[in-house]
Amino acid sequence: MAEQIKAVRGVKDILPDEIGVWRAVEQVAFSVLEGFGFEEIRVPIIEELGLFERSVGTFTDIVQKEMYVFKDKKGRTLALRPEATASVVRAFLEHQLYLKKRITRLYYSGAMFRYDRPQKGRYRQFHQIGAEIFGGAGGNYDGELIVAIVRILERMKISGFTVELNSVGCPECKAKYGAELKKFFSERSQKFCHDCRTRAQHNILRVLDCKVESCKSVLAHAPIMSEILCAECLGHMNEVIAYLASIGVSVRTNPHLVRGLDYYTKTVFEVKVENDENAVAGGGRYDNLVQQLGGPSTPAAGFAIGMERICAVVAVQEMKKPAISAVFLGEKALRDGTPLINALRSRGIKIAADYDDRPLKSQLKTADKEGTRYVLILGENELERREFLFKDMKSGSQQFVSFDSIEQFLKGLIDAADAHMR
Ligand code: AMP
């Protein structure tokens, strides 16, 4: 046999069994975001490398180590996007969207690429649903973004999550805090890993994100940002907290929370589910990015949810819509039954059919093995009585349902499953 080609390291196929959960998350996320007034934008997967260098930051791990960079046939240096905020900002400027609305709310979804070390929950191609607000400077906007994430998680019936919040301050606070952290670091530099020592030279705040245990234990005693914040930054942070409290969303402040992208100012946040180290979502404010990319001064904030991570926590069985299959016993049942099934399909009911003439017992065995929830059985007797034999494979119960009422009956089941998902 010829040698098989496998998917490249760190990327994965999303198989039919997983699609139900993916689609459910997408539908819920899009509907929640649209409910907050966000509009969809679709931006390209390839961009000029410079866009990410100028936004994510030249000295971040993402730009330094994790970018897929290549030259096209004309010698342009392009990159596969490691995240989409930079692209959304570029599009916002390129199409002068800031002229259309005072506050612009945009959301996106799609594949991102980071040449990271593959491990649980960490892929080289992964997918995000993200949202950005342009034009809003107050803490209420940051709060709204966090509420949107919380609503998405709640609608997906995910419980046991925590929202961690911090402020990395305005550029002045950041610089002041950086100086304090540098002092703390240089007094203990021998205790830090090699990567931290490099980070300390270029972007001291990045050391706070180190995952090495020995670094983490030293950093537990590092200076705290909130003690350094100016009145405006502190006021902003309090506004975010007050907004969330007014909606009944609880957050935990984590004074050492930083994020892997340089553009953040003031608010940063992450959402973690139960004891998982990996965040399912993260984001924050980036008041200087639009200007940094050549646009007018525009306050902005956003977040991204990791699809692989959120889908992993959604209970797969809970999300499965009822799968229905039709079984025909004998030639006459097949001939007369096929138009009935097709009529149901054209009314929006999804039904898979097995047209092969096999005994009922083995048909049911297949349905059971493949996880089909409901089976519609049509034999000659049923045809004569103008009814289907309906079998629920989960409970084992069965009943006759007339041709006239089958549509209503199946729609009732589908609606009940949908309501369960909501
Ligand atoms: P970031 O773009 O780094 O702010 O990350 C936002 C979210 O994207 C994270 O909270 C994760 O859920 C997800 N994410 C980031 N990097 C990866 C990755 N390499 N693999 C899977 N998910 C990721």
Side-chain angles (χ1 to χ4, degrees):
M1 262 204 281
E3 195 191 332
Q4 280 184 26
I5 297 176
K6 299 258 168 70
V8 302
R9 186 166 146 77
V11 312
K12 75 183 199 91
D13 300 305
I14 302 151
L15 298 174
D17 266 359
E18 301 166 88
I19 290 294
V21 174
W22 277 67
R23 286 228 190 136
V25 172
E26 285 162 0
Q27 276 166 17
V28 162
F30 298 165
S31 101
V32 167
L33 289 169
E34 282 166 16
F36 279 82
F38 286 85
E39 295 174 294
E40 185 180 359
I41 184 165
R42 298 189 187 189
V43 286
I45 283 172
I46 51 173
E47 295 276 4
E48 274 185 30
L49 171 65
L51 176 67
F52 303 111
E53 287 177 334
R54 277 170 61 185
S55 54
V56 175
T58 316
F59 292 109
T60 55
D61 282 358
I62 294 179
V63 170
Q64 289 265 299
K65 305 184 195 163
E66 299 171 6
M67 296 267 281
Y68 282 88
V69 178
F70 60 96
K71 287 218 187 285
D72 73 1
K73 289 191 178 10
K74 272 269 158 68
R76 302 178 189 95
T77 308
L78 305 180
L80 296 184
R81 63 181 181 198
E83 59 108 58
T85 300
S87 303
V88 175
V89 174
R90 182 202 44 71
F92 176 76
L93 294 179
E94 199 166 328
H95 306 285
Q96 297 189 314
L97 300 185
Y98 49 87
L99 296 179
K100 295 202 168 137
K101 281 185 172 175
R102 208 179 75 77
I103 308 286
T104 307
R105 289 178 169 85
L106 300 170
Y107 76 84
Y108 61 83
S109 72
M112 311 293 154
F113 304 85
R114 293 184 197 170
Y115 193 82
D116 204 349
R117 198 167 62 81
Q119 50 193 293
K120 187 174 162 277
R122 193 167 291 279
Y123 302 96
R124 289 182 174 169
Q125 177 179 331
F126 59 98
H127 300 78
Q128 292 182 331
I129 292 180
E132 320 286 349
I133 303 183
F134 297 99
N140 292 344
Y141 296 99
D142 316 35
E144 185 184 274
L145 289 166
I146 294 173
V147 174
I149 301 175
V150 168
R151 294 289 176 257
I152 293 167
L153 298 183
E154 283 172 352
R155 290 249 314 252
M156 294 313 300
K157 305 218 179 312
I158 295 173
S159 56
F161 58 84
T162 38
V163 182
E164 291 190 0
L165 183 72
N166 191 24
S167 174
V168 292
C170 60
E172 291 73 37
C173 291
K174 233 188 204 177
K176 218 163 135 193
Y177 180 68
E180 292 249 348
L181 195 58
K182 210 159 197 159
K183 185 161 165 278
F184 173 88
F185 182 88
S186 45
E187 284 163 8
R188 301 158 181 80
S189 66
Q190 292 315 310
K191 294 185 178 162
F192 284 93
C193 69
H194 175 76
D195 276 359
C196 274
R197 276 179 243 152
T198 317
R199 287 176 191 132
Q201 280 171 19
H202 300 294
N203 183 353
I204 184 71
L205 257 66
R206 303 279 324 119
V207 301
L208 291 171
D209 211 18
C210 186
K211 301 282 180 284
V212 176
E213 280 307 321
S214 50
C215 297
K216 275 182 11 189
S217 60
V218 184
L219 287 164
H221 309 286
I224 284 173
M225 188 72 174
S226 56
E227 290 170 3
I228 287 159
L229 290 180
C230 67
E232 198 211 313
C233 288
L234 201 58
H236 184 89
M237 170 106 163
N238 288 334
E239 206 175 296
V240 181
I241 295 172
Y243 180 91
L244 292 169
S246 76
I247 313 260
V249 169
S250 56
V251 286
R252 189 160 72 198
T253 50
N254 171 355
H256 289 142
L257 178 68
V258 289
R259 312 228 54 251
L261 305 99
D262 269 359
Y263 50 62
Y264 289 118
T265 50
K266 297 181 178 164
T267 314
V268 287
F269 55 83
E270 267 186 4
V271 183
K272 289 186 175 154
V273 178
E274 263 140 24
N275 303 320
D276 199 342
E277 258 287 293
N278 288 329
V280 288
R285 176 160 285 281
Y286 50 91
D287 285 343
N288 299 325
L289 184 57
V290 177
Q291 211 169 14
Q292 224 164 288
L293 291 178
S297 166
T298 309
F303 71 75
I305 297 177
M307 282 297 286
E308 283 74 7
R309 300 210 184 146
I310 189 171
C311 289
V313 285
V314 171
V316 178
Q317 283 309 318
E318 289 253 313
M319 298 310 308
K320 270 203 168 168
K321 285 211 175 187
I324 306 169
S325 78
V327 164
F328 307 99
L329 305 174
E331 224 172 279
K332 191 166 177 351
L334 176 67
R335 200 181 52 235
D336 294 358
T338 307
L340 295 174
I341 296 300
N342 276 314
L344 290 170
R345 284 174 178 157
S346 62
R347 287 170 201 276
I349 301 173
K350 291 179 200 149
I351 306 179
D354 192 327
Y355 300 115
D356 296 332
D357 191 14
R358 293 190 300 131
L360 180 59
K361 207 169 158 194
S362 53
Q363 297 259 31
L364 292 178
K365 216 166 161 183
T366 307
D368 193 41
K369 194 169 138 217
E370 293 178 357
T372 304
R373 176 71 198 268
Y374 304 116
V375 183
L376 287 178
I377 302 159
L378 194 65
E380 289 202 7
N381 289 344
E382 285 80 16
L383 252 190
E384 238 162 63
R385 290 159 51 186
R386 296 185 51 77
E387 56 191 18
F388 286 100
L389 177 58
F390 169 85
K391 188 168 174 78
D392 182 339
M393 297 300 294
K394 196 171 168 193
S395 67
S397 67
Q398 53 187 51
Q399 69 189 93
F400 289 102
V401 184
S402 75
F403 287 174
D404 293 338
S405 56
I406 190 74
E407 182 185 339
Q408 275 312 100
F409 179 83
L410 294 177
K411 283 192 167 157
L413 290 177
I414 295 163
D415 286 349
D418 278 348
H420 186 59
M421 275 170 47
R422 279 194 295 274

